Amino acid sequence: MVIILNSHADENDIQSLSAALASRGHRVFCSLFHDRYVLSLQAGAAIDEQQIKAFDCVDRVVAVDTEYRLANRAVKPEGTRITVGQAEFGGSRPVVIAGPCSVENREQMLRAADIVARHGAQVLRAGAFKPRTSPYSFQGLEERGLELLAEARERTGLPIITEVLDAGDVEMVAGYADILQIGSRNMKNYKLLKAVGALDKPVMLKRGMASELNELLLSAEYILSGGNGNVILCERGIRTFSDFSRNTLDLNIVPAVKQASHLPIIVDPSHGTGRRDLVAPMSLAALACGADGLIVEVHPEPDKSLSDADQAIGEETFARLMSQSRDVLSWRTQNDPTPVNSFN
Amino acid sequence: MVIILNSHADENDIQSLSAALASRGHRVFCSLFHDRYVLSLQAGAAIDEQQIKAFDCVDRVVAVDTEYRLANRAVKPEGTRITVGQAEFGGSRPVVIAGPCSVENREQMLRAADIVARHGAQVLRAGAFKPRTSPYSFQGLEERGLELLAEARERTGLPIITEVLDAGDVEMVAGYADILQIGSRNMKNYKLLKAVGALDKPVMLKRGMASELNELLLSAEYILSGGNGNVILCERGIRTFSDFSRNTLDLNIVPAVKQASHLPIIVDPSHGTGRRDLVAPMSLAALACGADGLIVEVHPEPDKSLSDADQAIGEETFARLMSQSRDVLSWRTQNDPTPVNSFN
Amino acid sequence: MVIILNSHADENDIQSLSAALASRGHRVFCSLFHDRYVLSLQAGAAIDEQQIKAFDCVDRVVAVDTEYRLANRAVKPEGTRITVGQAEFGGSRPVVIAGPCSVENREQMLRAADIVARHGAQVLRAGAFKPRTSPYSFQGLEERGLELLAEARERTGLPIITEVLDAGDVEMVAGYADILQIGSRNMKNYKLLKAVGALDKPVMLKRGMASELNELLLSAEYILSGGNGNVILCERGIRTFSDFSRNTLDLNIVPAVKQASHLPIIVDPSHGTGRRDLVAPMSLAALACGADGLIVEVHPEPDKSLSDADQAIGEETFARLMSQSRDVLSWRTQNDPTPVNSFN
Amino acid sequence: MVIILNSHADENDIQSLSAALASRGHRVFCSLFHDRYVLSLQAGAAIDEQQIKAFDCVDRVVAVDTEYRLANRAVKPEGTRITVGQAEFGGSRPVVIAGPCSVENREQMLRAADIVARHGAQVLRAGAFKPRTSPYSFQGLEERGLELLAEARERTGLPIITEVLDAGDVEMVAGYADILQIGSRNMKNYKLLKAVGALDKPVMLKRGMASELNELLLSAEYILSGGNGNVILCERGIRTFSDFSRNTLDLNIVPAVKQASHLPIIVDPSHGTGRRDLVAPMSLAALACGADGLIVEVHPEPDKSLSDADQAIGEETFARLMSQSRDVLSWRTQNDPTPVNSFN
């Protein structure tokens, strides 16, 4: 059960409605979805819908039959749009996020940022805290990396996205980033999800390597039920037996998310395939099946990348990808303004 | 090691060259690739390239370092094109194959054929021999189904593709079909592969549910090394942990095949996802990443389909898909005439 | 619905009962389960149980709610026992099948047979028809291999098991083999399953690399519903992301089959792991969780094996394995005479 | 490269050796392995082995060619033994850890502890902080749960193991627990791994649901390289296509870990299969292939369990399992005192 308040509901309205629900034994989660407050009740709570509607501040009540209540498309059939700088996730024009895997040094960061800006990406990415399989691998420049990212933002005007690895770092990283990234290894780090759920910054949540669609949406639900409605999902490849690509990018989840949820979903073809030569074709495929954007690894000198060198593309390939993307996008804008309905 | 003969080489040339190779202990496989004969030697054979080139009938010698020698792109960098009726697999214009999962009866077959023809598909599909998980399920109309397919071909002018399940049935099925389909369950039925390798009819080979790229190309190699160069590959979904779709359609294999092999590859979004609502978006994605065509289940009354009812689409959805495909295709024709090179 | 006839029912009884069922529109499959005839009806058939019981030849009627009716444990709660020479599959004493992957030549075959017999295995295995991923790999000695196997049987007194790849070869292979093996690649080769279902020889059916438990039992059902009740299942490893072993041997299926079906199940740790050093520990684990036997690759000179050299063990390791197995088996005999019930 | 100091090396020795290494540009990680200090150097560091051996405090230098250097078996061929109360992980007698999934309330906890102690388990388990897929599910009693666990320890004398979810909670949880559990969702939570690596308490590290053997050992390496040598690995099932069990318990990793690493490994058949009826047979299989112990969910009233009710077993089944385990163990003690060598 989800209760959507009308647009002029205020804190007092929420408090009195919440108190009324609590007095009947319901546990209530309150979220802000852009212009609207939304209350969700713990599963299994029987409730008299008419009594709820009697409250002036209530716009409508939605019965949701999945475990993910706030992430369910029924709650917001028109889809969620999240604006960051010039980028609008979930809007009519897909967003391109690009940049190097890691911030390595000032020169590399600024060169990469210039490439990304020059060819029309709307958001700049780079990692300052790197989750590495081996304790002996380069672990990122940490806060110094965030400072360099901030300098790149000033220089290019592009908003920045970077990964946060631990609940204890959320405040610090949020001091720099415009969008916080939760990596695939942390999709089920619930303490971290709760920590970013308490912010009002956009969060990009990557699908875990062995995660079902249902689990991805429930991890999003942790953030939404904490009060942060600005969640962008990201497909980045799953683990399968198949070994010609490092991971198996599962584009099927793009239209499946569009059916199940109102949240925007973007695609990471760089980690998703782990092969530089597959980045461009899979980017175009992602856009063609309805993705709300891409996140691509671009490096000024791909072969010298300190991490994930095999999957970063250079300026020339990126420029061609941006040009080809525009054609697919222009086709999509004309043909498919409401992708959800057209899939039925 | 692969030896490509020049275009005017004849049977006598092949025999004398083969004899010379055999006398030095090499085992030779001879294939006809449209206009050219190609000889491949068993792996590991050391050979003096200069001596081979001394034969008049030899055009060039290609050293191939993968187990799939004849399927390797190096053997035919320009790509293989296979023409069947109006369809050209591997050409500039992707092919759409469509039709019901099974031939159920005359009326259903002819209605389906009319729909498929009316909206511009180039090839008609339907199964007469059905591989079914349960012995108690409908197993197809067998030869009676092939007769109905042939009647649909006469009526619409479309060439037909249908599955053959067993080496013992190849001759009979080939008497009706324009393209023989090897299903995913039979990708490693080597006796069947050898049997279709002895024909000169085009063969569509579906990837097995747990098959690596390498294994798919080696199964193609069984057909090629038998002398039949007309092999069309088909991605139809793999088995993974993910359960929101019945299978995980693995589009990554499309650009990967383009790098590795000269054979055309098409995509089956119907079996590949098992969800009717994912067929259209994944079809567009397949075309955007370079697929040479689609094979789609279309049924006059999808909900009454005797097999795979969940994944068949009806006329309205098919018509919209064909229209949207044309846009993606026209974009591809302008932007991506040589998809292989553009992936580098 | 499954109808079990009493032990003195004869062909006439079956014919009159089948005719009565057919006249009411039911499609009937008749199998011989050792001493009993069993009839199964196509799914969904509504039937008056009392009328069936009125036939003198009917012992009992079992309502089965899975798709695999004849393979269902409910049909034969005490379990199926299949005797071949000294081996009893499904009995109190697990069976060990051993031998080389392929028959390579007379000397290798006879040396391997001697090792296998000397250390107490009850059945000899070797492949004469080899399904190989590459057309350029050694494909087996074919009928000459079967002759050598037969010679090894005469010499050692051990019954032999060997693989049949194609429905067209069944009669010939059955002329030599005591048990026919259906390999994992052919688990869904339904024509082949029907062909061996028409024999009364024991059949060992290997699980496909991406096969569910349900699918394995339905493939067994093809054989059972053809009238051949002598089916032995075999777990041989599945395809997963995990790469430290060539396949992931899934022992969980052993107790799961014991719950679901009356058919015996054995385990192949050689193909199941693809690692020689894992064969012995996984064999012991298989026996400890209730497997009815093992099938192990043993070669006189493992490193010289023409196929699957990495997974064959030599005489010394095999001798130690047989000795350790006996201890686990003696423990099982004392502690777990009815493994199925003890799992509840 | 790993440098093992002799048993009387002290802090001063370490400092001077580390300084010497650092002055040549090496990054050094120091760990305490029970009675010995061990230094590992960052990968790729070229070094003069003779110069290192010249230091008095150096016992031996081991060249390790895997990324996991400290976890590599070569560093400690005799295997690591970790003693907690009466339990010795890695010793001759496998350890049984048992208890409920979650601490639910005082009565349930104490009843469960009594059952566990009565039938001979050596360690008590229960979760106070529960990682739950849905934000609306029961999340554990948190610190109140730890207090109840501590009360159960006093009552039974059994040491306790419980999960810690976040680096920020490590100190608090370590105040109660005898062994800290890192759950499968957190196997790649490197901040958490570093936090427990700074303690000297034993840590049980569960394999992630999509984790390779190599990745498991590298996660262990995070703990070892932080200075905590007391790591116990745990197999708990992986994600595969197979759906008759909730996860696919991968026992193959037990002997594979014994080859690759000196760390003890135990098995969790409860999460590993997710089926109550598979717990006992897979426990016996785990012991037969060399596992150093089991961790089993036992609940006084399994059907009323607040979490994972399908996989918990009750007192009667647990008692029978303990009795059967003793037989397998007694067999192992006699036959397989050095499992590693016997696998070769």
Side-chain angles (χ1 to χ4, degrees), chain A residues 27 29 40-43 67-70 129-139 142 165-169 185-186 188-192 194 209-212 214-215 218-219 221-222 225 239, chain D residues 27 29 40-43 67-70 129-139 142 165-169 185-186 188-192 194 209-212 214-215 218-219 221-222 225 239:
Chain A
R27 191 161 160 230
F29 297 82
S40 62
L41 305 191
Q42 194 153 26
E67 283 184 280
Y68 46 92
R69 274 164 260 162
L70 298 172
F129 292 85
K130 300 302 301 175
R132 299 304 299 273
T133 304
S134 166
Y136 308 119
S137 299
F138 173 62
Q139 312 259 328
E142 307 197 346
L165 291 177
D166 187 77
D169 295 336
R185 289 169 175 85
N186 278 317
K188 295 185 179 178
N189 183 335
Y190 303 120
K191 191 124 181 185
L192 178 56
K194 286 176 184 170
M209 295 182 208
S211 162
E212 303 279 10
N214 186 56
E215 293 172 328
L218 281 167
S219 284
E221 192 83 8
Y222 266 94
S225 64
R239 284 252 164 116
Chain D
R27 193 162 159 228
F29 297 82
S40 62
L41 306 191
Q42 194 152 26
E67 283 184 280
Y68 45 93
R69 274 163 260 162
L70 297 172
F129 293 85
K130 299 302 301 175
R132 300 305 298 273
T133 305
S134 166
Y136 308 120
S137 300
F138 172 63
Q139 313 259 328
E142 307 197 347
L165 291 177
D166 187 76
D169 295 337
R185 289 168 174 86
N186 278 318
K188 295 185 179 178
N189 183 336
Y190 303 119
K191 191 124 181 184
L192 178 56
K194 287 175 184 171
M209 295 182 209
S211 163
E212 303 279 10
N214 187 55
E215 294 171 328
L218 281 167
S219 284
E221 193 82 7
Y222 268 94
S225 65
R239 284 251 164 118

Side-chain angles (χ1 to χ4, degrees), chain B residues 4-5 7 33-38 59-60 62 70-82 88-92 229 257-265 292 336-341:
Chain B
I4 300 172
L5 306 193
S7 56
F33 272 31
H34 308 277
D35 55 336
R36 298 293 187 94
Y37 287 99
V38 174
D59 179 8
R60 58 202 172 92
V62 186
L70 298 172
N72 194 298
R73 184 141 208 125
V75 169
K76 206 170 177 186
E78 72 282 12
T80 283
R81 298 182 176 219
I82 298 169
E88 187 192 35
F89 296 90
S92 61
V257 159
K258 293 283 166 200
Q259 295 283 18
S261 177
H262 54 83
L263 295 174
I265 178 165
D292 294 302
D336 213 355
T338 53
V340 175
N341 298 327

Side-chain angles (χ1 to χ4, degrees), chain D:
Chain D
M1 172 76 72
V2 170
I3 302 164
I4 300 171
L5 305 193
N6 55 39
S7 56
H8 44 79
D10 62 17
E11 295 281 343
N12 288 334
D13 293 327
I14 295 168
Q15 292 218 344
S16 51
L17 177 53
S18 295
L21 290 162
S23 73
R24 287 162 216 183
H26 300 299
R27 193 162 159 228
V28 182
F29 297 82
C30 177
S31 311
L32 181 60
F33 271 31
H34 306 277
D35 54 336
R36 299 292 188 93
Y37 285 100
V38 174
L39 303 186
S40 62
L41 306 191
Q42 194 152 26
I47 203 163
D48 181 342
E49 206 171 302
Q50 293 312 317
Q51 287 189 313
I52 302 298
K53 283 184 177 161
F55 280 78
D56 270 356
C57 62
V58 170
D59 177 8
R60 58 202 172 93
V61 174
V62 185
V64 173
D65 62 352
T66 59
E67 283 184 280
Y68 45 93
R69 274 163 260 162
L70 297 172
N72 193 298
R73 183 141 208 125
V75 169
K76 206 171 176 183
E78 72 282 12
T80 283
R81 298 180 177 223
I82 299 169
T83 302
V84 184
Q86 302 295 313
E88 187 193 34
F89 295 91
S92 59
R93 185 180 155 69
V95 173
V96 177
I97 304 174
C101 184
S102 310
V103 187
E104 296 172 15
N105 56 58
R106 187 168 181 274
E107 193 213 331
Q108 170 256 12
M109 187 65 239
L110 299 185
R111 280 182 63 197
D114 288 346
I115 291 171
V116 163
R118 185 181 309 136
H119 298 287
Q122 296 101 323
V123 181
L124 177 64
R125 62 149 288 162
F129 293 85
K130 299 302 301 175
R132 300 305 298 273
T133 305
S134 166
Y136 308 120
S137 300
F138 172 63
Q139 313 259 328
L141 297 184
E142 307 197 347
E143 192 159 2
R144 174 64 187 139
L146 297 177
E147 292 166 2
L148 292 174
L149 259 175
E151 184 181 344
R153 169 173 49 196
E154 266 184 65
R155 178 183 173 107
T156 59
L158 296 182
I160 58 181
I161 177 172
T162 199
E163 182 165 358
V164 56
L165 291 177
D166 187 76
D169 295 337
V170 165
E171 198 181 0
M172 190 258 282
V173 177
Y176 293 91
D178 300 294
I179 308 175
L180 290 163
Q181 173 176 326
I182 305 294
S184 54
R185 289 168 174 86
N186 278 318
M187 195 201 82
K188 295 185 179 178
N189 183 336
Y190 303 119
K191 191 124 181 184
L192 178 56
L193 297 178
K194 287 175 184 171
V196 299
L199 304 178
D200 60 1
K201 282 235 155 143
V203 175
M204 184 185 78
L205 175 65
K206 287 189 137 183
R207 181 184 185 187
M209 295 182 209
S211 163
E212 303 279 10
L213 168 55
N214 187 55
E215 294 171 328
L216 173 61
L217 292 177
L218 281 167
S219 284
E221 193 82 7
Y222 268 94
I223 305 173
L224 299 174
S225 65
N228 184 349
N230 299 302
V231 177
I232 302 154
L233 306 174
C234 180
E235 160 64 26
R236 52 76 69 208
I238 55 173
R239 284 251 164 118
T240 73
F241 70 86
S242 178
D243 66 3
F244 69 86
S245 51
R246 201 173 88 182
N247 294 293
T248 297
L249 185 71
D250 179 15
L251 291 184
N252 308 283
I253 205 172
V254 173
V257 159
K258 293 283 164 198
Q259 293 283 17
S261 176
H262 54 83
L263 296 173
I265 179 164
I266 69 172
V267 169
D268 177 348
S270 305
H271 291 87
T273 67
R275 276 178 62 167
R276 194 182 295 172
D277 62 336
L278 300 191
V279 169
M282 297 315 289
S283 292
L284 300 176
L287 296 175
C289 69
D292 294 302
L294 302 171
I295 177 165
V296 181
E297 286 194 9
V298 174
H299 195 281
E301 296 175 85
D303 294 327
K304 293 191 184 162
S305 177
L306 284 187
S307 48
D308 289 339
D310 292 346
Q311 69 199 32
I313 58 175
E315 177 163 12
E316 194 184 347
T317 306
F318 182 59
R320 195 171 52 236
L321 169 60
M322 289 302 287
S323 151
Q324 294 186 323
S325 296
R326 265 184 288 272
D327 291 318
V328 176
L329 301 190
S330 106
W331 161 78
R332 246 181 70 185
T333 311
Q334 292 161 32
N335 287 273
D336 214 350
T338 53
V340 174
N341 298 328
S342 75
F343 295 160
N344 289 320

Side-chain angles (χ1 to χ4, degrees), chain C residues 175-189:
Chain C
Y176 293 91
D178 300 294
I179 308 175
L180 290 164
Q181 173 176 328
I182 305 294
S184 55
R185 290 168 174 86
N186 278 316
M187 195 200 84
K188 295 185 179 177
N189 184 336

Side-chain angles (χ1 to χ4, degrees), chain C residues 12-27:
Chain C
N12 288 334
D13 293 328
I14 294 168
Q15 291 218 345
S16 51
L17 177 53
S18 295
L21 289 162
S23 73
R24 284 159 219 185
H26 300 300
R27 191 162 160 227

